[in-house]
């Protein structure tokens, strides 16, 4: 299935959880936050959140700024 | 008891807040942060880099025990996007603090007052401790306070411009009108600009480029630390009024010289 990740299209296995996607991306989950279809996904729910076709994900972190 | 800067439930002995952007390297940033004596540092919220995972993380260089992280909504041009960024920031940093910044124009980076007010109202309702970046307009500053901003942060001058405090009168009116802490945010170029803001009675100064863009950021960070302290002390001490004519410091009685014209 296809999802939108940070504005880019990406293919993932059907039924992939958010926790698995972050692991595949090599991201440390305590340093990121995820918005799925404009709603925040709490960190505690990553493992129970199964992604669906067409999901729009934003995965962000802190960078230098003023 | 040391004098402190209170922002909601948070309390700090340093009145300088520094940004973490534009440094050539993270180690240099870490040194500058240390030299600044700041206890609060700002960060931005951005999409993770999915193509290059080798890059070091900013968070490796910020000791969370030592620094309170103040995420910003920089780069947002609508209340909606700023609120989204704030919610994401809260999830990354697990803190209610947010520096709200809703810009109106890419060239001037001046804030959009209408969107800024809307976003402040929404974030306050959602339980954020909102530090709102605004222009130096006293009317707008008061509206933001009324909307529940924990701190109002007028720009001294446009972001990154280094022009200093362009309208002292407006800053003074804001200080007179508001009860919440007023922190000058943006436009500060050098130590004297910071001192002026603090002498006017501001509760703090937030800056980034003034340090990060200096030839020697660590030295400038030290200068900014002293500038905040000097300005605050001078404010508390109470300056003398400005007068048009001279007033001698030494006694006028008992002078040995013959008085001219007498």
């Amino acid at each position: 299935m296809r999802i939108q990740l940070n504005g880019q299209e990406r293919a993932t296995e059907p039924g992939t959880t958010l926790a698995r996607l972050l692991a595949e991306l090599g991201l440390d989950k305590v340093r990121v936050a995820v918005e799925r279809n404009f709603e925040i996904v709490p960190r505690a729910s990553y493992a129970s959140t199964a992604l669906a076709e067409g999901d729009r994900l934003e995965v962000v972190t802190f960078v230098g700024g003023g | 008891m040391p004098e402190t800067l209170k922002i909601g439930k948070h309390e700090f002995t340093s009145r300088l807040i520094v940004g973490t952007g534009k440094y050539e390297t993270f180690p240099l940033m870490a040194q500058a942060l240390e030299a600044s004596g700041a206890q609060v540092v700002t960060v931005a919220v951005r999409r993770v880099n999915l193509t290059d995972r080798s890059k070091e993380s900013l968070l490796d260089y910020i000791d969370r025990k030592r620094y309170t992280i103040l995420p910003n909504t920089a780069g947002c041009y609508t209340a909606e996007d700023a609120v989204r960024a704030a919610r994401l920031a809260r999830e990354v940093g697990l803190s209610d603090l947010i520096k709200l910044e809703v810009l109106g124009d890419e060239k001037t980076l001046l804030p959009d007052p209408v969107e800024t007010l809307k976003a402040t109202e929404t974030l306050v309702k959602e339980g954020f401790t909102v530090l709102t970046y605004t222009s130096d307009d006293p009317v707008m500053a008061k509206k933001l306070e009324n909307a529940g901003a924990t701190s109002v942060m007028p720009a001294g001058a446009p972001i990154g411009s280094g022009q200093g405090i362009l309208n002292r009168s407006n800053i003074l009116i804001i200080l007179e009108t508001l009860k919440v802490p007023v922190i000058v945010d943006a436009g500060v170029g050098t130590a004297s600009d910071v001192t002026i803001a603090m002498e006017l009675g501001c509760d703090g100064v937030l800056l980034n480029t003034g340090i990060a863009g200096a030839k020697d950021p660590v030295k400038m960070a030290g200068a900014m630390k002293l500038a905040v302290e000097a300005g605050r002390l001078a404010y508390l001490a109470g300056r003398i009024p400005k007068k048009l004519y001279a007033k001698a410091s030494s006694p006028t009685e008992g002078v040995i010289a013959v008085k001219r014209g007498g």
Side-chain angles (χ1 to χ4, degrees):
Chain A
M1 66 177 186
R2 304 201 74 80
I3 59 167
Q4 287 277 330
L5 174 61
N6 286 356
Q8 291 181 336
E9 200 160 281
R10 186 182 174 91
T12 53
E13 293 284 313
T16 302
T17 63
L18 190 50
R20 192 169 129 203
L21 177 72
L22 295 180
E24 278 174 18
L25 295 168
L27 295 172
D28 182 351
K29 70 173 184 179
V30 303
R31 287 185 171 185
V32 300
V34 181
E35 188 193 73
R36 180 192 183 205
N37 304 325
F38 300 96
E39 296 282 332
I40 297 283
V41 184
R43 210 167 271 165
S45 306
Y46 290 172
S48 59
T49 301
L51 299 177
E53 176 75 32
D55 270 356
R56 294 172 65 96
L57 297 181
E58 291 289 345
V59 183
V60 303
T61 189
F62 286 155
V63 301
Chain B
M1 222 171 66
E3 224 223 334
T4 57
L5 169 63
K6 292 190 186 76
I7 298 172
K9 63 184 182 197
H10 309 268
E11 204 166 341
F12 308 101
T13 51
S14 166
R15 291 176 179 272
L16 180 62
I17 300 175
V18 293
T20 56
K22 298 189 189 169
Y23 284 95
E24 273 177 34
T25 65
F26 285 137
L28 179 64
M29 176 203 76
Q31 278 180 53
L33 296 188
E34 180 165 1
S36 76
Q39 292 165 310
V40 184
V41 298
T42 61
V43 300
V45 179
R46 290 291 180 271
R47 286 171 165 170
V48 293
N49 188 338
L50 295 168
T51 45
D52 182 8
R53 300 296 315 135
S54 64
K55 277 194 179 165
E56 286 182 297
S57 164
L58 169 77
L59 292 169
D60 292 327
Y61 290 87
I62 298 176
D63 180 357
R64 294 287 300 267
K65 290 192 196 82
R66 179 164 176 184
Y67 301 107
T68 297
I69 290 183
L70 174 59
N72 67 31
T73 62
C76 292
Y77 286 81
T78 63
E80 190 190 347
D81 281 347
V83 168
R84 284 174 67 200
R87 290 175 184 150
L88 283 163
R90 178 157 67 179
E91 197 61 23
V92 182
L94 304 175
S95 155
D96 59 321
L97 285 168
I98 191 77
K99 173 188 155 176
L100 176 65
E101 182 177 324
V102 192
L103 303 176
D105 171 73
E106 280 179 36
K107 190 172 181 187
T108 62
L109 297 180
L110 289 171
D112 180 323
V114 177
E115 295 295 305
T116 300
L117 185 60
K118 269 200 266 180
T120 301
E121 287 166 350
T122 305
L123 292 173
V124 167
K125 266 186 214 141
E126 293 188 13
F128 283 89
T129 298
V130 187
L131 293 81
T132 307
Y133 166 70
T134 179
S135 69
D136 59 13
D137 174 9
V139 176
M140 189 61 205
K142 189 65 188 171
K143 283 184 189 238
L144 293 170
E145 180 183 73
N146 290 343
T150 303
S151 171
V152 174
M153 306 204 293
I159 294 173
S161 71
Q163 295 181 53
I165 313 298
L166 290 182
N167 192 337
R168 298 182 197 188
S169 307
N170 271 11
I171 300 289
L172 280 171
I173 295 170
I174 291 172
L175 286 165
E176 212 176 275
T177 324
L178 269 60
K179 292 178 197 75
V180 298
V182 173
I183 297 171
V184 160
D185 175 7
V188 167
T190 187
S192 55
D193 297 336
V194 169
T195 306
I196 286 167
M198 295 307 295
E199 283 174 353
L200 293 174
C202 290
D203 296 279
V205 172
L206 190 162
L207 65 107
N208 188 152
T209 311
I211 294 177
K215 277 185 190 155
D216 185 335
V218 180
K219 268 206 182 88
M220 187 57 93
M224 295 301 194
K225 175 182 193 281
L226 296 172
V228 165
E229 290 169 6
R232 181 68 184 173
L233 270 178
Y235 167 72
L236 293 173
R239 62 155 298 154
I240 59 161
K242 289 185 186 178
K243 292 182 288 282
L244 186 57
Y245 290 102
K247 194 165 180 9
S249 305
S250 308
T252 47
E253 298 300 313
V255 179
I256 57 164
V258 178
K259 202 175 179 187
R260 277 173 195 270

